[in-house]
Amino acid sequence: MNNNTVLVMGHDGYIGHALTLRLLKLGYKVIGLDDLTRRRAVENQMESVSAIDIDSPYKREEECKKYGEFVWFSNDTAMLYDPIYEAIEKYKPATIFNLANQPSAPYSHIDNYHCMVTATTNIFSTMNVIWAMKEHVPDAHLIQIGSMGEYDPNINIDIEEGLFSFKHKGRKSKESLFPRRPGSFYHASKVCASYYLDAAGRFWGLKSTDIMQGVVYGNWTPEIEETGLETRLDTDEAFGTVVNRFAVQSLMNTPMTIFGSGKHKRGFLALDDSIQCLQLALENPPSNGYQTWNQLDTIYSMEEVAEAVQSVIGGKKQYIETPRVEHADTHYYNPITKKLENLGFEPQRSIKEEVQDIARKVNQSNFEILKNVVIPKISW
Ligand SMILES: NC(=O)c1ccc[n+]([C@@H]2O[C@H](COP(=O)([O-])OP(=O)(O)OC[C@H]3O[C@@H](n4cnc5c(N)ncnc54)[C@H](O)[C@@H]3O)[C@@H](O)[C@H]2O)c1
């Protein structure tokens, strides 16, 4: 097995592109598999653009080849299984990142069709990759990004990492995965993918790391800075995550739209810190079977996010009716993050630094389009 080869499914995405540059910088050979679904969905379905201009996939491919050893296949990894089997058989990667997912909760709630696309993409890509690994690289390590939204944020106890046991009617249970209660149909598909990885670990000993990640924000990594090869930054209601949306709303002089009271809390981390964690995952595979951890830096309420953005750019807050089912205004929220700490994770970037970076890089001529897409219309 060539231990220097990494397959990145979804390499053209927000996180995938930043990860690819990091891996190339570190000297890995990167095989990218991405059918450009995200680009098409933003442009054609959300009628939006990335607030920060990005290269075409072909220019990006050309530039990545200059930066390191890089190959790209433009194939669907969910509805087709041949491309994954062929890539894995040919390149025998030691590590595989599966980021080729539909990553948006609102998108999965548009209608039956979008919900089905979410489920098939996120579950089938997992299914395809585990079977291809079993056949061609049974000792390789699969890294997938799940979501903190797989858990119920209002569960009212610490959200543990990995195995968990509980007492019921005087009996102590065996260890099982920490209880899930997904916050959207998207998150339900991620829960399902997590169970596939756990099952493949128990049935076949397939090595996987399943990352329960918080909300990622910002656009900065040292490799992006060095090469100028930006990753995308979306602000539309499906693909824009909250820090990025608030930053661009403020830059456009439109109010930051806070859902409900803005008191509900989530875990966040900067893009560069997410990439640091993915590197730690690559360097620390489980010896056998499934491992999982919680991946975030700081917990903020949505109001606190707005205040952080305000302190850098200014701008106004507007409280709007929440399109989501959020049960508790104030709630106990304490995800445990010891595993990454023990591996040496040290967050490097703050919201304020990222907001400054976004302000420096957005293309203001995109505002005409972005003004029409930031207000949420999808509800659940
Ligand atoms: N961005 C976040 O805040 C965040 C938070 C938690 C978890 N995650 C997870 O991290 C992963 C990456 O997220 P992201 O924000 O970079 O999303 P993204 O949409 O930018 O990246 C996904 C990439 O996969 C590709 N893709 C999708 N379906 C495909 C298919 N069927 N065949 C081939 N390629 C396909 C897309 O074109 C895109 O380039 C996802 O699994 C997402 O659920 C993201």
Side-chain angles (χ1 to χ4, degrees), residues 82-341:
D82 282 349
I84 298 186
Y85 275 70
E86 283 164 14
I88 291 181
E89 184 179 16
K90 180 166 180 193
Y91 293 100
K92 301 269 190 298
T95 308
I96 299 169
F97 287 90
N98 178 16
L99 314 182
N101 274 205
Q102 190 301 97
S104 160
Y107 184 96
S108 71
H109 283 255
I110 294 176
D111 56 22
N112 192 340
Y113 170 77
H114 291 84
C115 191
M116 184 198 69
V117 169
T118 306
T120 48
T121 304
N122 298 357
I123 299 168
F124 288 8
S125 67
T126 302
M127 215 184 279
N128 288 340
V129 73
I130 62 174
W131 281 97
M133 285 175 70
K134 180 174 186 284
E135 186 161 332
H136 295 301
V137 286
D139 294 326
H141 176 207
L142 173 62
I143 300 166
Q144 249 182 218
I145 310 185
S147 170
M148 282 305 296
E150 295 187 27
Y151 302 123
D152 179 355
N154 300 312
I155 192 164
N156 207 31
I157 57 172
D158 287 353
I159 298 176
E160 299 293 344
E161 308 179 275
L163 298 179
F164 179 73
S165 66
F166 50 92
K167 269 202 172 152
H168 183 61
K169 294 183 180 170
R171 296 179 65 83
K172 189 161 188 282
S173 72
K174 275 175 66 178
E175 287 194 314
S176 187
L177 291 186
F178 191 83
R180 261 80 177 151
R181 194 166 213 197
S184 72
F185 292 135
Y186 153 71
H187 291 104
S189 72
K190 304 293 275 187
V191 170
C192 191
S194 289
Y195 282 131
Y196 271 91
L197 296 191
D198 172 52
R202 286 181 289 114
F203 303 158
W204 308 333
L206 189 116
K207 282 185 264 181
S208 69
T209 301
D210 191 17
I211 293 165
M212 299 302 117
Q213 179 163 260
V215 184
V216 182
Y217 59 86
N219 192 270
W220 189 91
T221 68
E223 297 79 22
I224 289 175
E225 189 68 23
E226 180 189 336
T227 60
L229 297 173
E230 304 293 349
T231 196
R232 57 182 317 114
L233 190 101
D234 290 307
T235 55
D236 63 274
E237 64 166 325
F239 296 106
T241 50
V242 63
V243 179
N244 300 347
R245 276 165 66 83
F246 282 1
V248 174
Q249 282 180 317
S250 290
L251 288 168
M252 291 193 297
N253 282 324
T254 59
M256 291 177 273
T257 43
I258 300 174
F259 298 164
S261 68
K263 297 273 188 292
H264 51 282
K265 296 176 201 150
R266 294 289 184 273
F268 289 85
L269 76 169
L271 178 65
D272 185 46
D273 292 326
S274 170
I275 302 303
Q276 185 196 147
C277 295
L278 294 177
Q279 189 182 330
L280 286 169
L282 179 144
E283 290 162 358
N284 294 280
S287 51
N288 189 41
Y290 177 86
Q291 69 177 356
T292 182
W293 61 58
N294 297 338
Q295 183 161 302
L296 53 104
D297 165 15
T298 312
I299 293 165
Y300 295 108
S301 70
M302 301 312 126
E303 224 171 18
E304 288 167 337
V305 170
E307 278 155 18
V309 173
Q310 238 174 3
S311 72
V312 180
I313 305 179
K316 293 185 286 292
K317 294 187 275 188
Q318 183 187 359
Y319 294 85
I320 61 169
E321 197 184 332
T322 179
R324 304 172 179 222
V325 179
E326 299 283 4
H327 288 294
D329 255 6
T330 49
H331 55 108
Y332 178 79
Y333 186 58
N334 191 31
I336 303 301
T337 53
K338 280 275 170 272
K339 288 194 181 180
L340 274 166
E341 263 170 60

Side-chain angles (χ1 to χ4, degrees), residues 9-16 33-39 75-79 98-103 121 145-147 186 190 213-216 232 239 241:
M9 298 161 60
H11 79 275
D12 190 57
Y14 171 56
I15 296 172
L33 252 179
D34 197 307
D35 69 351
L36 312 180
T37 293
R38 169 71 175 256
R39 289 182 187 246
N75 287 115
D76 184 339
T77 57
M79 300 313 287
N98 178 16
L99 314 182
N101 274 205
Q102 190 301 97
T121 304
I145 310 185
S147 170
Y186 153 71
K190 304 293 275 187
Q213 179 163 260
V215 184
V216 182
R232 57 182 317 114
F239 296 106
T241 50

